[in-house]
Amino acid sequence: MNTINQTNEKEPGKKPEVQLSFDCSDGVAKTKKDFVRLRYLLIAGVLACFIIPHILLSAYFHFQFTSTLKTTGKYNLEALAKSQRNTIDLFLLERKMNIRNLFYNRMDTSNSSKDKMLYYLQTLKQNSDAFVDVGFLNETGLQTGYAGPFPELLNKNYKEEKWFRTLANNEKEYFITDIYLGFRNKPHFTIAVKQTIQDKMNIIRATIDPDKFYMFLRSISKGKEVETTLINNKGTYQIVDPDSGNLLGKSSYMPSLDILSGVKEISGKTGKELTAHAWLHETPWALIISQPLRLVHAQMYKTKYIMTISLVIIISLLAIVVWIVIGRLVKRAQIIAENSHHLQGQLIHASKLASVGELATGIAHEINNPLAIITSTTGVVRDLLNPEFNLDPSPENINKELDIVDSAAFRASGITKQLLDFGRKNKPERILSNINDLLDKTTQGVKKHQFDVENIELIKNYDPNLPEINVDPDRIGQVFLNLINNAGDAISGKGKITLSTSLKDRFIKIMIQDNGHGMSPDQIEEIFNPFFTTKDPGKGTGLGLSISLSIIDAMNGLLEVQSLPGQGSLFTVSLPVDTSGNA
């Protein structure tokens, strides 16, 4: 919108101040909205480009790391089971050697007195407090010597016991029994060692306290909430935590007899558990170690937590940096675009003013004609009022002459109004418009008078069935005016300008053709550059076609030119029927 503010009060020695302001608020506001949307799209796009690969890589490495930790947890638990298995084997082997050494302690097989047996028991207890008692058996299975808390076991016959029969049949030189109740009716297990002395089989047996053995297992266990048990090859508990089961009870987990050691994930009383087993070498027992998965994978969960927090921090920092950097870049681009928008508006207005200047030259005598009529008519009125001429000064005659003055004044006023309309900068606004009507509005009045004076014929070839399209009438009219002015300037003397419209492929074609001097190929390559002109010095600004091209581009249209030297030029404006672009 063009506004002119003129002060009403005049100070002495000063002229009235005239201020011109250009309203580009709608274009600037639309530009701001576009840049706000652009900023969010850029931020989202950049963050997606950075974050998605990070997330994918983190997910991949997390999966690999988790898989490695799970495998490592299984290996660690299996290694722990093997290590404890070896420790238990060594413990049992040492107890066997403790008993066997009694044969080499100058033992008199004929002397199994109480004092002697107590001495043997004391010797064993010095090696391990897990020993409960000790007994001496002859080849018939009769226990002829005993020391321990169960004196009633003296003279008990063990010939029916499996361990005795195994030793008697020379299958093994020692035997470790399963947990059993026996004659004492109390859970225990026995280590028996045989030795042939003077062609007679002698057996020394000693009992191991399960509770002391359990404490030994607890002492070698490693890890938080690690549960260690011993079962035989039938799944019967040999050593077990009282809170988890009972001696001689059945285990819920039975490892394969064919696999010496292994790890398996099972459901336990506290949920999912990782269970490792290892079969002993000294006796057909399996060491079972169980640990809740939440503890086995505690390190994995800790690492996962650290990785997640680190990723969130990295993404947050990256988002902040991207937000700040892109915000500044977009803000700078927005300022440049707004300045460009203001400059474009000023250039368009300057082009209009230049066109008005060119029009003013062409219609000077059009204004002079009514002025001459006014001058001559006022002279006639003076003559009517002069008595020397003896004319009729009646009101009727005077009013008749005044009517002529009014008519000439209104004609001059109409011409100046049309000049002002051409020079006014209206607020950019898109409305449904008919292209034929816009062409007629551009060529009527001042422009028609100019062409009449310059002997240029305007030929109109319109398609009457053109649809209305959404355009800015002021700006598209400025394009038409620039092209028509150029066509007129290209004609020297008598000529013609043809205006044609048509609809083709959802585009409205506006063709402005002249029969002027035309242009060379080199000139055609330059005409859309700012400040390039083919007109004589002082007649053109070189901005008209450059501004026209920017206006048409903003409406998603095309501006094309065809020209040959001496044969005139044809400018074609193509506007889409759906003009949803930004003007």
Side-chain angles (χ1 to χ4, degrees), residues 42-91:
L42 282 175
I43 290 174
V46 172
L47 287 179
C49 291
F50 277 96
I51 291 175
I52 291 177
H54 278 81
I55 292 177
L56 292 177
L57 285 174
S58 298
Y60 171 76
F61 286 119
H62 175 71
F63 173 79
Q64 294 294 333
F65 187 73
T66 300
S67 177
T68 301
L69 280 181
K70 287 183 176 180
T71 304
T72 302
K74 291 182 179 180
Y75 287 158
N76 288 341
L77 199 62
E78 184 177 5
L80 178 62
K82 290 179 179 180
S83 175
Q84 292 189 11
R85 182 267 313 276
N86 294 336
T87 302
I88 295 171
D89 277 335
L90 182 60
F91 174 84

Side-chain angles (χ1 to χ4, degrees), residues 38-54 315 317-327 329-330:
L38 175 63
R39 181 172 65 179
Y40 287 125
L41 289 175
L42 282 175
I43 290 174
V46 172
L47 287 179
C49 291
F50 277 96
I51 291 175
I52 291 177
H54 278 81
I315 291 176
L317 292 176
L318 184 62
I320 292 172
V321 171
V322 169
W323 183 279
I324 294 174
V325 172
I326 290 182
L329 292 176
V330 172

Side-chain angles (χ1 to χ4, degrees), residues 164-189:
F164 182 82
R165 295 198 306 270
T166 301
L167 291 176
N169 293 331
N170 293 321
E171 296 179 10
K172 295 179 67 177
E173 67 172 2
Y174 72 95
F175 193 91
I176 301 175
T177 69
D178 289 343
I179 295 289
Y180 69 109
L181 297 178
F183 294 122
R184 67 191 69 186
N185 199 30
K186 185 176 181 181
H188 66 286
F189 68 93

